[in-house]
Amino acid sequence: MQTVLTQDFLFPELGVKRSPLKQARAGSFIDNMSLPVHRWFRYSAGFSAEWVKQMVQEKRKSLEFSVLDPFAGSGTTLVAAGAGGASAIGLETHPFMSRIAKTKIQIDIESDELLHAGKQLLDKAGVLYKNIAADDCPDLLARCFSADNLLQLEALRLAYTLTATGDDKISALLWLAITSILRECSHVGTAQWQYILPNKSKKRVLNPFTAFLSKIRLFSNDIALCSKSINPHKLQLREEDARNITSIAEQSIDLVITSPPYPNNYDYADSTRLEMTFWREITSWGDLHDAVRRNLICSCSQHSAKEKYDLDALLLNLYLEPIHHEIEAVCRNLASIRQSKGGKKTYHTMVAAYFIDLARVLHSLRKVCKKGSELCFVIGDSAPYGIYVPVDKWLGELAMEAGFVSHTFEKNRDRNTKWKNRKHTVPLKEGNLWIKG
């Protein structure tokens, strides 16, 4: 029997209501920018690391307590769960972000060794800087960096290429240090999310060599600080699709904490275009789909348009059966409205594909989660073309169909209230969808 819990639900193992403070902080990543290790790479998508740590400490009942984040992103849950004393697994299909997350949990090294390696790389870059040209750099880089900053960054990249030795931890941290200074050394504007805006400019621009040395010192200090509180051997990052989990034993996960993509048309592939272009992993925006986007949850119209999804076929998918009537009405409405819009964005197929993907994730999670486990999805609803999509309601119903026993939603904050250029006035919210295993 379905049990839909209220916002005032008392968790029996705690005997108290959920802390309003933690509830409010759950969807905010701002405090991560001042926390050791978490601050190594700014990735706006996510949630509070301190909230994750506190949640893990409250829920952990044994040394074998296991946490899973099926959308690991930059590794917030992994690092925070480790600080909370738990074992944790992160899954991430964005290849660039999975590399970042994996690097952030490889902190079982001597901090002085990293600092020494960083200074050696910087010395080599200083020599290369005097003898290289950046004539063949991709156009995006030429637009985002001054001539001198681009030369210094190219010298760092070449020095890394010449000194990196396979998959060792020091090399990985040097790579991340270079990666993490790119936006700090660019004079162009950066949107609130990860997008780069070459036609806008900012005043504060760092010198690459100075920024790199500062970043290496920060990494080194954080490693020394966290080496006793986080056991990296209990943390794993796997480049695996949460829609089809095969590497995790059934009935082995105690707690899932994650923030899946929101169906709000944010292109997670585009969010790392600058970094991937710098490392020559892509050459243009067009490369992003095959390199990244096609492997992700469908949450933007660029994805659904590129895949040329057929709405009728999507709506026949059995994963949508619990919400079929409601989602069909929304998608048909979107299909009609798009014809009057200049961009004709494929929101109608994006929404259907998104919930099929999340239903698959929920079925996959049901297999690996223990009886009595808990799942927390930090989620937000959306309203493409002003048509409301009740994400929390539909995901809760899909969770029940997957075999979970209850769900409740806690609102953390209102969204779509402060942007003057917002395209609709539909009230939106963000919060925690709690699911009981």
Side-chain angles (χ1 to χ4, degrees):
M1 177 183 296
Q2 177 174 345
T3 303
V4 179
L5 307 176
T6 68
Q7 192 164 334
D8 293 327
F9 171 65
L10 296 178
F11 284 81
E13 67 274 25
L14 300 179
V16 295
K17 293 184 179 181
R18 185 168 306 287
S19 163
L21 173 62
K22 282 178 284 188
Q23 177 181 325
R25 290 175 54 194
S28 173
F29 61 89
I30 299 300
D31 60 350
N32 297 357
M33 295 301 98
S34 62
L35 295 175
V37 182
H38 296 284
R39 59 188 172 186
W40 289 0
F41 185 81
R42 182 184 177 93
Y43 193 56
S44 300
F47 38 65
S48 165
E50 282 294 292
W51 170 77
V52 175
K53 177 182 174 181
Q54 292 175 10
M55 195 59 58
V56 168
Q57 289 175 330
E58 285 185 358
K59 301 292 183 181
R60 187 165 68 97
K61 303 177 182 66
S62 70
L63 294 177
E64 303 303 318
F65 191 82
S66 182
V67 178
L68 170 64
D69 185 347
F71 302 102
S74 61
T76 298
T77 296
L78 284 178
V79 177
S87 298
I89 299 172
L91 308 179
E92 180 55 59
T93 54
H94 189 315
F96 201 84
M97 292 312 304
S98 69
R99 184 174 180 182
I100 288 172
K102 183 178 180 180
T103 300
K104 286 169 69 175
I105 61 174
Q106 295 179 331
I107 59 174
D108 53 334
I109 62 166
E110 294 295 329
S111 58
D112 289 344
E113 186 180 354
L114 174 61
L115 186 58
H116 178 69
K119 290 179 177 178
Q120 283 189 318
L121 187 146
L122 188 57
D123 289 342
K124 186 180 288 291
V127 174
L128 291 169
Y129 166 70
K130 300 174 183 178
N131 301 287
I132 63 171
D135 298 335
D136 61 344
C137 281
D139 177 65
L140 178 64
L141 301 184
R143 294 162 62 198
C144 290
F145 300 101
S146 67
D148 190 60
N149 272 14
L150 184 54
L151 279 177
Q152 290 189 38
L153 289 169
E154 281 295 287
L156 286 168
R157 184 180 67 84
L158 291 172
Y160 170 81
T161 302
L162 293 170
T163 58
T165 54
D167 194 34
D168 71 282
K169 297 171 184 177
I170 293 293
S171 293
L173 288 163
L174 294 175
W175 172 86
L176 182 53
I178 297 172
T179 300
S180 66
I181 67 171
L182 293 179
R183 293 171 189 261
E184 299 172 354
C185 298
S186 172
H187 62 274
V188 306
T190 305
Q192 173 160 358
W193 288 72
Q194 240 67 11
Y195 295 135
I196 286 291
L197 306 173
N199 295 327
K200 294 188 177 182
S201 61
K202 60 177 184 276
K203 295 180 180 179
R204 187 171 183 269
V205 181
L206 301 185
N207 172 278
F209 286 171
T210 302
F212 174 75
L213 183 57
S214 176
K215 195 69 68 172
I216 285 295
R217 285 172 173 160
L218 177 72
F219 283 16
S220 180
N221 290 337
D222 283 359
I223 288 171
L225 186 64
C226 296
S227 59
K228 295 181 180 179
S229 60
I230 300 176
N231 181 359
H233 299 290
K234 297 175 69 175
L235 309 177
Q236 302 175 50
L237 189 285
R238 302 173 185 175
E239 196 169 329
E240 184 172 359
D241 194 334
R243 291 166 290 192
N244 184 31
I245 302 173
T246 59
S247 70
I248 300 176
E250 293 188 7
Q251 303 289 308
S252 64
I253 300 298
D254 296 284
L255 176 65
V256 173
I257 300 180
T258 194
S259 181
Y262 297 0
N264 62 0
N265 212 37
Y266 178 69
D267 187 358
Y268 287 89
D270 199 10
S271 69
T272 56
R273 178 160 55 119
L274 177 69
E275 290 81 4
M276 295 181 74
T277 300
F278 174 78
W279 289 108
R280 308 306 195 264
E281 295 183 15
I282 59 171
T283 59
S284 69
W285 186 86
D287 293 341
L288 285 172
H289 189 73
D290 287 340
V292 180
R293 193 185 299 116
R294 71 184 312 165
N295 299 316
L296 307 180
I297 297 296
C298 183
S299 61
C300 66
S301 59
Q302 294 93 325
H303 191 155
S304 53
K306 188 74 173 180
E307 292 295 327
K308 295 181 170 53
Y309 289 131
D310 177 74
L311 180 58
D312 289 331
L314 291 171
L315 291 174
L316 288 174
N317 192 294
L318 292 179
Y319 280 114
L320 295 182
E321 187 172 351
I323 59 172
H324 181 271
H325 179 71
E326 292 181 69
I327 196 171
E328 180 177 26
V330 166
C331 291
R332 298 288 186 199
N333 199 356
L334 287 169
S336 175
I337 290 175
R338 71 184 289 263
Q339 299 304 323
S340 64
K341 302 293 184 179
K344 288 186 170 61
K345 293 183 178 179
T346 55
Y347 292 138
H348 60 308
T349 53
M350 179 202 83
V351 169
Y354 174 84
F355 284 97
I356 291 172
D357 281 349
L358 266 294
R360 292 178 59 195
V361 171
L362 288 163
H363 278 264
S364 195
L365 289 175
R366 177 60 280 185
K367 294 178 182 178
V368 302
C369 289
K370 295 178 181 178
K371 183 178 180 180
S373 60
E374 288 187 89
L375 295 77
C376 182
F377 279 39
V378 180
I379 58 173
D381 47 17
S382 68
Y385 286 148
I387 303 301
Y388 183 63
V389 178
V391 176
D392 55 299
K393 178 179 183 293
W394 288 355
L395 288 185
E397 293 175 11
L398 292 174
M400 302 301 294
E401 178 67 18
F404 293 99
V405 299
S406 63
H407 63 91
T408 184
F409 181 74
E410 301 172 322
K411 187 177 84 168
N412 293 338
R413 67 182 182 95
D414 293 314
R415 299 166 54 231
N416 194 45
T417 58
K418 61 183 178 179
W419 308 116
K420 293 181 180 179
N421 63 342
R422 61 185 186 269
K423 295 187 167 95
H424 62 77
T425 58
V426 178
L428 299 177
K429 62 184 181 298
E430 182 179 77
N432 306 335
L433 176 65
W434 283 92
I435 301 168
K436 194 77 172 181

